């Protein structure tokens, strides 16, 4: 088997990334100069440290003060002081502060609702239920539901009030709304199998369970209450004294109809056919009577006093006097207006005396030309007397006690009111779709049957408006309750051969429509209950063995009985119209959304649809809702909104491929493309976190407080990605990756972190982290800040993987221009349930790093855990700094940043390196030397074992003490003895001890005392920080960058340890190389 040797190639000392096309880091700051060929002002030094022209320091000034960069107290930061200036330098040039104008873009969150359980829509399988076709299953039920008693009782009144032209407009608006809805419904119904549920199924599968459940339940309530209204609508013209009797009659009728529906839908179809036949005969009789009136108009006299219409049942003869035995005596009409027994007229009503009593024909006939008078509307106010414009009248003041003798308007009428009254007569188009589970081919029957039914009823309504306006007198049309004709039904009088045809037809119309409602409503409720989106309705999903919804029918009957007991059409009918309109609105919306999204599954067989028609239908539905009654429209929307929020709160875990999810994806795509224009403006910058979590052997989160701190920092705003690395092979570790992802998601839910989870499988943890840093996010929604934990126990472990990975991650974030946060002692950080009632958040601002140290405490204080903590900002003054002026400048800077904080400048004048510093440096170098010897010996031991195994192969051995090491450790060529012995270890240990005795003199006399100076900075800063912030709730501190020479990585970790010793909670912060906070609005 061949052996392969991987030989690492060292990078060149300098890598100019700016020379690569497409990777240039563009500086968008306004320099105040017009430079058409603006060159990049950011470059890379090859070690992940990008250089950016500071908005506070110019290059010439920075070069002149280069010696200040190597101050002993800031030696830990000296390699980056040219790009991360001292705070004193920043504050001294505060007046030249400029904003970074990088194109303001608002972040849009695309939160995807994840469904944990997929559920296939259940197709109704009623074994014994009839499979109906288009005629019996859709066309006739729709006709029966649409043809209500409004045609017989209210259409004449609407024509009288609005006139023929505006009545035609009302009918056109309502029928156009239903026709456009039917077109949208046809497209949805032919886009796949439509099982039981009809409109609910279409909306829920197109717009999601929340919209479907809310609209479906409202539509169910509307259909159920409509069945109650149908039972007593025919009694609207009756005396109110009969109301209680009608409650009894309505309850009995409802019970009988419920029994018919319970027995089976086939009996409903048989009875419905009979009832519909009676309705059609009634409509035909109206046409027959209208055409007969051309030659033989019916006798239908109206008594008029002057031009006022009189209530006919208050007197017997339409005259002031009558002749009895050749004697003229006062009539009953005279006695109503005058004192009894008085023929002089001195004590009579003035209007009665001065105007004549005449009798006109109520139905002059189709050829009478009355159509000219009824062409335009005559809207009236409440209490206004019905008057005929063509009759002569003397205007005189009449007595108020005689007002009851005149026919007057019971309500104020307007165009919008009439639209609301007529619209229920156009509803009922969902009657066929509600029974979609009983149809043989719902995709074919629903479109054809519904559109034909709407076309038929629309033609009937249009022709009826013209016939009524052409045959009937205007005052009779405006007489809502038939007071002028002794409560006779005007349409019945017009019909031929007998008024009883209309009476019977209107009665069977109400009964048939109620029967259809009792058939469709329980099936709608059963479909909602079976989907289990509303838990307490689950019981209504059960039924008989053949699938009939028994429990749903029982609930529907009880609700309908409640409507009958209310017995007030004015209280119930308006809200029902709103429920129907809301259902139609969302059907149109569903079709429009699916059409515009062009989802691959949107392939309806019905081709005569367009998104513009759906939007027009949706707009008409919304307009009709507010035209009819704006307050009832708001009530309906509130009810639907409450149901929506309840379903959302219960967590409707359904994935139906609805259009809202596709709409969210389209909106997210649009937002991401907009974010691609450029980086966000400084004012819009916020930490978009990538939280790197470590998992233990059982795939449990090792430090969950990292997530806690992330949630406190983000408070649900912006982007949060939680990432982790599973070590292994992707093909073999896929299951482990899924388990890790689920564990992290559960922990995110516990810690209330709103974000996304990303797991990477990699052979090496270091490579996996690099992949996460490079590839997480999408487009403009990418992370700009990395948060990772501190490698605890790195001193005690001989395995350098932890701190090697840590330092490599720091270098990668710097190379990627990302900010970095490292919470140290994260186990001591507060949970989301704790509250700090006092204390300080201390910020130690050593070098300017883009303003991250200022922004993070402000964001933390927005959370309830840190809200009551005060903010203190410390900065360090050197020998040549004016500390008093620095404090004033810093206070001014914070005032302009609108940040409330206590300011303090700490002076560090003593620059002498102490013996303690030398001692700590010596211990650090001794430890590094010993570990280096032990790793070298371990490598030799492993190499000897490999040579014994394969003596004929020459293998270049890599470092086996860590799977993270990529450098090759080779034995010196002069060593030939490969056997590991105790004597050899003791010899190497003795060599390390001898070497350590010379180390102190080496440190004291070495020209390069960089380690000593860095240790001195760490020790001095730590003393000052511990002295001032030992009791702080949180300490934020500039994190120095790793050394450019990788040989000093172990020393870098020691410097960070010394810098943060004695502090309970420390947050090391490293900026991403750009300004994140601004003083400008």
């Amino acid at each position: 088997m061949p052996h392969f040797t991987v030989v690492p190639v060292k990078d060149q000392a300098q890598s100019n990334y700016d020379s690569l096309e497409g990777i240039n880091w563009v500086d968008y700051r306004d320099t105040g100069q017009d430079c058409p060929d603006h060159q990049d002002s950011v470059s890379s030094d090859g070690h992940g440290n990008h250089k950016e022209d500071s908005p506070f320091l110019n290059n010439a000034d920075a070069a002149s003060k280069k010696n200040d960069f190597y101050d002993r107290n800031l030696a830990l930061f000296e390699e980056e002081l040219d790009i991360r200036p001292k705070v004193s330098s920043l504050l001294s040039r505060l007046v030249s502060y400029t904003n970074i104008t990088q194109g303001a873009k608002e972040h849009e969150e695309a939160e995807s609702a994840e469904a944990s359980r997929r559920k296939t829509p259940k197709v109704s399988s009623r074994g014994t239920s009839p499979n109906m076709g288009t005629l019996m299953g859709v066309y006739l039920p729709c006709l029966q539901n649409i043809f209500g008693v409004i045609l017989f009782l209210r259409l004449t009144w609407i024509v009288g009030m609005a006139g023929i032209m505006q009545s035609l407009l009302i009918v056109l608006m309502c029928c156009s709304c239903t026709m456009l809805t039917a077109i949208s419904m046809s497209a949805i119904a032919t886009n796949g199998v439509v099982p039981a549920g009809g409109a609910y199924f279409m909306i829920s599968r197109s717009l999601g369970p929340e919209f479907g459940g809310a609209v479906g339940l409202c539509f169910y309530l509307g259909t159920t209450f409509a069945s109650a209204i149908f039972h007593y609508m025919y009694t609207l013209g009756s005396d109110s004294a009969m109301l209680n009797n009608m409650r009894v009659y309505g309850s009995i009728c409802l019970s009988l109809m419920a029994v018919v529906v319970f027995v089976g839908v086939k009996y409903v179809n048989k009875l419905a056919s009979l009832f519909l036949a009676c309705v059609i005969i009634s409509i035909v009789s109206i046409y027959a009577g209208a055409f007969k009136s051309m030659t033989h108009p019916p006798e239908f006299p109206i008594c008029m006093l002057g031009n006022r219409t009189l209530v006919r049942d208050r007197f017997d003869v339409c005259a002031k006097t009558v002749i009895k035995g050749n004697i003229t005596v006062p009539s009953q009409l005279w006695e109503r207006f005058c004192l009894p027994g008085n023929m002089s007229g001195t004590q009579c009503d003035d209007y009665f005396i001065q105007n004549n009593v005449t009798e006109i024909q109520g139905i002059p006939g189709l050829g009478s030309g009355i159509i000219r008078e009824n062409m335009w509307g005559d809207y009236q106010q409440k209490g206004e007397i019905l008057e005929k414009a063509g009759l002569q009248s003397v205007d005189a003041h009449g007595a108020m006690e005689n007002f009851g003798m005149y026919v007057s308007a019971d309500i104020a009428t307007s165009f919008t009111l009439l639209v609301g009254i007529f619209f229920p007569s156009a509803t009922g188009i969902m009657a066929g779709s509600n029974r979609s589970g009983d149809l043989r081919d719902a995709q074919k029957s629903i479109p054809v049957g519904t559109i034909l039914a709407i076309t038929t009823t629309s033609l009937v309504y249009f022709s009826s408006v013209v016939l009524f306006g052409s045959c009937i007198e205007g005052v009779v049309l405006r007489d809502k309750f038939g007071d002028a004709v002794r409560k006779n039904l005007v349409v019945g009088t017009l019909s031929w051969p007998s008024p009883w045809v209309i009476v019977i037809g209107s009665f069977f119309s109400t009964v048939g429509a109620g029967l259809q409602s009792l058939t469709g409503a329980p099936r709608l409720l059963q479909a909602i209950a079976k989907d289990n989106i509303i838990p307490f309705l689950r019981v209504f999903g059960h039924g008989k063995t053949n699938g009939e919804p028994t429990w749903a029918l029982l609930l529907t009957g009880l609700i309908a009985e409640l409507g009958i007991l209310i017995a007030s059409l004015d209280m119930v009918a308006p809200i029902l119209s709103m429920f129907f309109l809301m259902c139609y609105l969302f059907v149109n919306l569903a079709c429009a959304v699916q059409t515009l999204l062009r989802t691959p599954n949107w392939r309806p067989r019905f081709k005569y649809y367009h998104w513009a028609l759906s939007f027009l239908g949706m707009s008409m539905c919304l307009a009709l809702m507010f035209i009819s009654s704006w307050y009832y429209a708001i009530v309906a929307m509130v009810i639907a909104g409450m149901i929506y929020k309840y379903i959302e709160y219960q967590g409707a875990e359904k994935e139906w491929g609805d259009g809202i999810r596709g709409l969210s994806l389209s909106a997210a795509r649009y937002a991401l493309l907009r974010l691609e224009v450029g980086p966000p403006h400084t004012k819009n910058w916020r930490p978009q976190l990538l939280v790197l979590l470590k998992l233990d052997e059982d795939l449990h989160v090792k430090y969950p407080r990292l997530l806690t701190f992330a949630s406190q920092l983000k408070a649900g705003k912006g982007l949060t990605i939680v990432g982790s690395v599973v070590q292994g092979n992707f093909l073999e570790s896929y299951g482990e990756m899924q388990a890790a992802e689920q564990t992290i998601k559960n922990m995110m839910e516990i810690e209330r972190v709103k974000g996304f989870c990303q797991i990477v499988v990699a052979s090496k943890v270091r490579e996996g982290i690099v992949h996460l840093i490079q590839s997480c996010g999408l487009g403009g929604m990418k992370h700009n800040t990395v948060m990772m934990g501190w490698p605890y126990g790195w001193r005690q472990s001989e395995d350098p993987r932890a701190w090697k990975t840590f330092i490599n991650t720091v270098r990668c974030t710097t190379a990627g221009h990302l900010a970095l946060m490292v919470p140290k002692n994260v186990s001591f950080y507060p949970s989301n349930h704790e509250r700090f009632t006092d204390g300080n958040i201390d910020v130690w601002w050593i070098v300017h790093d883009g303003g991250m140290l200022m922004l993070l405490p402000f964001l933390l204080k927005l959370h309830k855990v840190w809200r009551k903590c005060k903010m203190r900002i410390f900065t360090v003054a050197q020998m040549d700094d004016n500390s008093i002026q620095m404090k004033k400048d810093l206070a001014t800077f914070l005032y302009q940043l609108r940040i409330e904080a206590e300011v303090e400048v700490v002076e560090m004048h003593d620059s002498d390196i102490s013996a303690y510093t030398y001692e700590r440096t010596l211990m650090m170098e001794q430890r590094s030397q010993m570990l280096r010897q032990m790793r070298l010996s371990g490598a030799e031991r492993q190499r000897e074992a490999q040579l014994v195994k394969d003596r004929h192969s020459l293998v270049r051995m890599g470092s086996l003490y860590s799977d993270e090491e990529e450098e090759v450790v080779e034995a010196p060529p002069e060593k030939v003895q490969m056997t590991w012995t105790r004597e050899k270890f003791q010899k190497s240990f003795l060599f390390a001890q001898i070497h350590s005795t010379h180390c102190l003199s080496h440190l004291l006399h070495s020209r390069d005392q960089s380690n000593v100076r860095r240790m001195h900075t760490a020790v001095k800063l730590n003393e000052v920080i511990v002295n001032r912030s030992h009791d702080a709730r949180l300490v934020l501190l500039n994190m120095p960058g790793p050394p450019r020479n990788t040989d000093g990585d172990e020393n870098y970790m020691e410097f960070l340890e010394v810098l943060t010793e004695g502090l309970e909670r420390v947050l090391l912060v490293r900026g991403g190389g750009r300004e994140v906070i601004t003083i400008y609005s």
Side-chain angles (χ1 to χ4, degrees):
M1 181 176 181
H3 295 271
F4 299 91
T5 302
V6 179
V7 181
V9 180
K10 293 185 178 180
D11 294 337
Q12 296 180 356
Q14 186 78 10
S15 298
N16 187 7
Y17 291 102
D18 290 330
S19 63
L20 297 180
E21 182 180 0
I23 314 184
N24 291 330
W25 181 269
V26 182
D27 184 10
Y28 290 89
R29 286 167 296 159
D30 184 10
T31 61
Q33 300 175 0
D34 296 328
C35 296
D37 296 327
H38 183 65
Q39 300 297 325
D40 297 339
S41 60
V42 179
S43 60
S44 174
D45 59 5
H47 296 278
N49 300 303
H50 60 279
K51 297 181 179 181
E52 182 176 359
D53 292 343
S54 172
F56 307 99
L57 294 173
N58 55 55
N59 293 333
D61 191 43
S64 66
K65 294 199 173 185
K66 189 171 181 66
N67 293 331
D68 291 345
F69 295 161
Y70 299 99
D71 188 276
R72 287 184 176 182
N73 290 325
L74 296 180
L76 201 60
F77 305 90
E78 63 186 13
E79 291 187 349
E80 296 177 316
L81 281 175
D82 55 339
I83 59 174
R84 304 176 193 269
K86 293 190 302 181
V87 176
S88 59
S89 302
L90 165 72
L91 295 176
S92 65
R93 293 159 181 82
L94 185 63
V95 292
S96 61
Y97 183 83
T98 58
N99 190 18
I100 303 178
T101 56
Q102 294 186 337
K105 297 294 175 188
E106 297 181 357
H107 289 288
E108 295 186 19
E109 301 180 31
E111 296 184 1
S112 59
E114 298 180 359
S116 62
R117 177 166 52 95
R118 293 179 175 268
K119 187 175 181 181
T120 306
K122 298 179 181 178
V123 181
S124 177
S125 56
R126 298 183 174 94
T128 59
S129 295
N131 291 325
M132 295 176 291
T134 303
L135 181 66
M136 295 299 299
V138 180
Y139 180 72
L140 295 183
C142 285
L143 277 183
Q144 198 160 29
N145 259 23
I146 296 173
F147 278 142
V149 292
I150 289 181
L151 172 63
F152 305 110
L153 298 180
R154 288 292 180 267
L155 189 57
T156 54
W157 177 69
I158 291 173
V159 173
M161 289 294 179
I164 295 176
M165 298 303 296
Q166 293 189 32
S167 298
L168 291 175
L169 180 59
I170 291 173
V171 174
L172 178 64
M173 289 175 58
C174 297
C175 293
S176 298
C177 178
T178 55
M179 178 61 77
L180 292 173
T181 304
I183 292 173
S184 299
M185 183 182 66
S186 300
I188 300 175
T190 57
N191 191 52
V193 177
V194 181
Y200 158 73
F201 181 86
M202 298 178 198
I203 296 174
S204 62
R205 269 54 177 184
S206 299
L207 299 179
E210 294 87 0
F211 282 107
V215 179
L217 202 57
C218 289
F219 187 59
Y220 164 75
L221 292 175
T223 307
T224 303
F225 272 109
S227 66
I229 289 178
F230 290 140
H231 293 133
Y232 61 78
M233 188 179 285
Y234 182 63
T235 67
L236 290 177
S238 301
D239 194 345
S240 59
M242 296 291 293
L243 192 58
N244 290 329
N245 290 337
M246 295 315 298
R247 286 191 177 101
V248 177
Y249 300 151
S251 300
I252 295 174
C253 184
L254 174 65
S255 302
L256 293 176
M257 292 168 61
V259 170
V260 173
V261 174
F262 177 77
V263 170
V265 71
K266 63 180 180 180
Y267 298 103
V268 173
N269 293 330
K270 291 180 180 179
L271 290 177
S273 303
L274 175 63
F275 296 156
L276 182 61
C278 296
V279 174
I280 293 175
I281 292 173
S282 300
I283 296 173
V284 171
S285 70
I286 295 175
Y287 286 97
F291 287 107
K292 179 178 178 294
S293 67
M294 294 181 65
T295 55
H296 300 84
E299 288 293 329
F300 202 57
I302 306 297
C303 189
M304 308 291 294
L305 177 60
N307 63 351
R308 298 180 180 179
T309 309
L310 295 175
V311 178
R312 194 67 177 84
D313 57 359
R314 298 287 185 93
F315 54 92
D316 52 359
V317 179
C318 183
K320 292 184 178 181
T321 59
V322 294
I323 300 175
K324 290 185 178 181
N326 296 326
I327 300 175
T328 301
V329 297
S331 65
Q332 292 184 3
L333 183 61
W334 182 283
E335 293 176 355
R336 292 284 184 180
F337 284 94
C338 302
L339 293 177
N342 187 4
M343 291 287 293
S344 63
T346 56
Q347 296 183 359
C348 292
D349 185 88
D350 290 342
Y351 188 86
F352 178 76
I353 293 298
Q354 299 182 29
N355 289 278
N356 296 324
V357 176
T358 57
E359 198 172 53
I360 63 173
Q361 188 66 21
I363 304 178
L366 195 60
S368 63
I370 197 67
I371 187 173
R372 289 189 295 272
E373 297 182 10
N374 295 331
M375 189 64 67
W376 308 108
D378 185 14
Y379 298 108
Q380 303 201 341
Q381 299 298 319
K382 183 178 181 181
E384 185 177 350
I385 299 175
L386 300 185
E387 298 177 348
K388 179 175 173 57
L391 291 179
Q392 295 182 353
S393 174
V394 178
D395 191 9
H397 181 71
M400 286 300 298
E401 57 266 19
N402 296 323
F403 182 78
M405 290 296 298
Y406 303 110
V407 180
S408 59
D410 63 328
I411 58 173
T413 55
S414 63
F415 180 80
T416 58
L417 176 71
L418 298 182
V419 170
I421 290 176
F422 177 76
F423 183 77
S425 64
T427 60
I429 63 173
M430 299 290 182
S433 64
N434 286 346
R435 304 196 303 178
S436 55
D438 298 317
L439 298 175
R440 185 185 306 113
D441 186 359
Q443 296 187 48
K444 177 183 177 182
S445 299
I446 291 178
V448 175
T450 306
I451 292 177
L452 283 179
I454 295 175
T455 304
T456 304
T457 54
S458 299
L459 292 176
V460 171
Y461 286 143
F462 281 120
S463 58
S464 298
V465 168
V466 176
L467 287 178
F468 291 159
S470 302
C471 297
I472 305 174
E473 177 63 46
V475 290
V476 178
L477 291 174
R478 290 189 289 275
D479 185 6
K480 186 176 183 180
F481 299 110
D483 294 329
V485 290
R486 290 192 173 92
K487 304 295 184 182
N488 288 323
L489 196 62
V490 178
V491 179
T493 306
L494 176 64
S495 63
W496 180 86
S498 171
W500 283 102
V501 177
I502 301 299
V503 174
I504 296 173
S506 59
F507 173 75
F508 283 123
S509 172
T510 58
V511 174
L515 204 60
Q516 295 296 334
S517 298
L518 281 180
T519 305
R523 283 160 172 74
L524 180 61
L525 180 62
Q526 185 185 40
I528 298 174
K530 282 187 174 183
D531 281 337
N532 196 25
I533 60 174
I534 302 177
F536 65 85
L537 293 180
R538 192 178 308 165
V539 65
F540 299 106
H542 305 293
K544 294 192 294 186
T545 55
N546 61 352
E548 291 294 329
T550 307
W551 292 104
L553 176 62
L554 179 62
L555 179 64
T556 303
L558 293 176
I559 297 176
E561 177 64 22
L562 178 63
I564 291 176
L565 296 179
I566 294 175
S568 175
L569 180 64
D570 296 334
M571 290 178 60
V572 181
I575 193 72
L576 301 187
S577 296
M578 299 304 151
F579 286 155
F580 287 126
L581 278 169
M582 191 179 301
C583 178
Y584 300 163
L585 186 150
F586 280 97
V587 168
N588 285 293
L589 178 62
C591 180
V593 168
Q594 296 279 27
T595 306
L596 290 176
L597 289 179
R598 299 182 183 275
T599 53
N601 191 54
W602 181 245
R603 302 183 300 274
R605 288 195 176 95
F606 183 80
K607 302 300 181 183
Y608 306 102
Y609 69 95
H610 194 269
W611 64 267
L613 294 177
S614 299
F615 268 115
L616 180 61
M618 183 178 65
S619 303
M620 291 187 66
C621 290
L622 190 62
L624 285 173
M625 287 178 67
F626 284 92
I627 285 176
S628 303
S629 177
W630 63 268
Y631 43 89
Y632 276 114
I634 294 176
V635 170
M637 289 181 175
V638 169
I639 293 175
M642 293 172 62
I643 299 174
Y644 178 94
K645 295 304 293 183
Y646 174 78
I647 297 174
E648 186 180 49
Y649 174 77
Q650 288 293 328
E653 298 177 351
K654 308 291 182 183
E655 176 51 62
W656 291 330
D658 55 85
I660 292 298
R661 185 174 179 86
L663 193 62
S664 300
L665 291 174
S666 297
R669 173 184 171 273
Y670 174 77
L672 288 172
L673 290 175
R674 290 290 302 271
L675 289 175
E676 279 289 300
V677 175
H681 192 276
T682 305
K683 293 183 292 185
N684 295 329
W685 195 95
R686 67 166 61 245
Q688 314 288 0
L689 288 184
L690 170 61
V691 183
L692 299 177
L693 288 185
K694 187 176 182 181
L695 304 177
D696 58 16
E697 292 79 5
D698 298 328
L699 297 181
H700 294 152
V701 178
K702 200 167 186 180
Y703 302 110
R705 285 297 167 88
L706 271 177
L707 290 176
T708 307
F709 184 68
S711 68
Q712 294 168 5
L713 180 66
K714 299 294 291 180
K717 302 296 189 299
L719 175 68
T720 302
I721 303 175
V722 181
S724 186
V725 179
V726 174
Q727 193 171 354
N729 189 308
F730 180 74
L731 298 178
E732 300 173 356
S733 305
Y734 182 74
E736 187 178 354
M737 182 191 73
Q738 286 187 316
E741 182 177 1
Q742 190 60 44
T743 300
I744 292 179
K745 284 183 179 180
N746 294 337
M747 186 59 65
M748 290 172 65
E749 185 175 354
I750 293 173
E751 298 296 339
R752 300 176 183 176
V753 176
K754 296 180 180 180
F756 309 99
C757 179
Q758 182 75 46
I759 306 295
V760 169
V761 178
S763 58
K764 296 180 180 180
V765 176
R766 183 190 301 182
E767 293 177 356
I769 292 177
V770 173
H771 294 332
L772 284 174
I773 293 175
Q774 291 183 82
S775 60
C776 277
L778 180 63
M781 274 308 263
K782 291 180 69 69
H783 58 277
N784 55 28
T785 305
V786 177
M787 179 187 293
M788 64 176 176
W790 178 261
Y792 303 100
W794 69 272
R795 281 175 170 170
Q796 291 76 25
S797 175
E798 297 181 5
D799 191 351
R801 282 181 296 179
W803 60 265
K804 286 279 189 183
T805 303
F806 176 83
I807 296 176
N808 184 71
T809 305
V810 175
R811 287 195 173 100
C812 290
T813 56
T814 307
H817 310 295
L818 303 175
L820 177 66
M821 290 188 292
V822 181
K824 196 164 183 257
N825 302 326
V826 72
S827 300
F828 296 103
Y829 278 52
S831 66
N832 286 324
H833 304 290
E834 299 181 36
R835 303 286 188 278
F836 285 144
T837 57
D838 56 3
N840 300 311
I841 299 177
D842 287 354
V843 176
W844 283 86
W845 197 17
I846 310 300
V847 294
H848 179 63
D849 213 5
M852 280 281 291
L853 287 174
M854 304 294 178
L855 186 61
L856 292 179
F858 171 77
L859 296 177
L860 277 177
K861 282 171 63 65
L862 297 178
H863 197 272
K864 55 189 176 182
V865 173
W866 306 91
R867 187 166 297 152
K868 294 186 178 180
C869 294
K870 296 181 179 179
M871 183 175 169
R872 297 191 302 182
I873 296 182
F874 298 89
T875 189
V876 177
Q878 303 301 315
M879 290 289 294
D880 56 345
D881 293 330
N882 186 342
S883 59
I884 298 177
Q885 187 61 36
M886 281 184 63
K887 186 172 182 179
K888 291 181 180 178
D889 293 341
L890 182 55
T892 303
F893 186 44
L894 293 178
Y895 176 78
Q896 293 175 344
L897 289 176
R898 291 89 64 200
I899 292 178
E900 296 181 2
E902 181 182 341
V903 177
E904 190 168 346
V905 177
V906 179
E907 298 181 355
M908 297 179 61
H909 297 309
D910 186 11
S911 298
D912 295 336
I913 299 177
S914 63
Y916 176 72
T917 300
Y918 282 109
E919 183 181 352
R920 291 296 299 261
T921 308
L922 177 61
M923 293 172 57
M924 177 183 68
E925 293 197 350
Q926 284 182 344
R927 180 181 179 279
S928 299
Q929 183 65 24
M930 289 180 61
L931 290 176
R932 193 176 295 111
Q933 292 293 332
M934 293 174 66
R935 286 197 295 268
L936 183 61
S937 302
E940 292 174 355
R941 184 168 66 251
Q942 295 293 336
R943 184 179 290 107
E944 182 183 46
Q946 180 65 29
L947 290 175
V948 171
K949 181 179 179 181
D950 189 0
R951 296 180 180 275
H952 301 287
S953 299
L954 181 61
V955 181
R956 297 170 62 91
M957 295 299 297
S959 175
L960 299 180
Y961 58 84
S962 170
D963 63 349
E964 300 294 330
E965 285 295 310
E966 297 180 359
E967 54 185 290
V968 176
V969 180
E970 296 184 0
E974 64 271 11
K975 292 190 178 183
V976 294
Q977 176 64 34
M978 304 302 293
T979 305
W980 175 263
T981 61
R982 179 184 298 272
E983 290 78 7
K984 184 168 184 179
F985 173 75
Q986 292 176 349
K987 181 179 179 181
S988 62
F989 184 74
L990 180 60
F991 172 77
Q993 285 185 328
I994 296 173
H995 176 74
S996 65
T997 59
H998 301 285
C999 193
L1000 182 59
S1001 60
H1002 172 73
L1003 290 174
L1004 293 174
H1005 298 90
S1006 175
R1007 292 182 180 179
D1008 184 11
Q1009 296 186 1
S1010 59
N1011 286 342
V1012 178
R1013 289 188 291 106
R1014 286 180 170 85
M1015 183 63 73
H1016 174 71
T1017 299
V1019 170
K1020 293 293 292 182
L1021 284 177
N1022 179 257
E1023 290 177 358
V1024 175
I1025 295 173
V1026 172
N1027 183 37
R1028 301 296 183 95
S1029 304
H1030 62 277
D1031 59 346
R1033 298 297 188 185
L1034 180 64
V1035 177
L1036 283 81
L1037 180 63
N1038 283 116
M1039 180 179 181
R1044 296 174 182 176
N1045 186 1
T1046 57
D1047 294 337
D1049 286 354
E1050 294 173 272
N1051 300 338
Y1052 172 71
M1053 296 297 298
E1054 187 68 30
F1055 295 145
L1056 294 182
E1057 285 284 6
V1058 173
L1059 184 63
T1060 57
E1061 274 183 354
L1063 298 174
E1064 185 179 14
R1065 301 184 192 93
V1066 185
L1067 180 63
L1068 296 172
V1069 180
R1070 185 167 171 79
R1074 61 157 295 170
E1075 296 300 320
V1076 300
I1077 196 167
T1078 176
I1079 64 175
Y1080 297 108
S1081 60

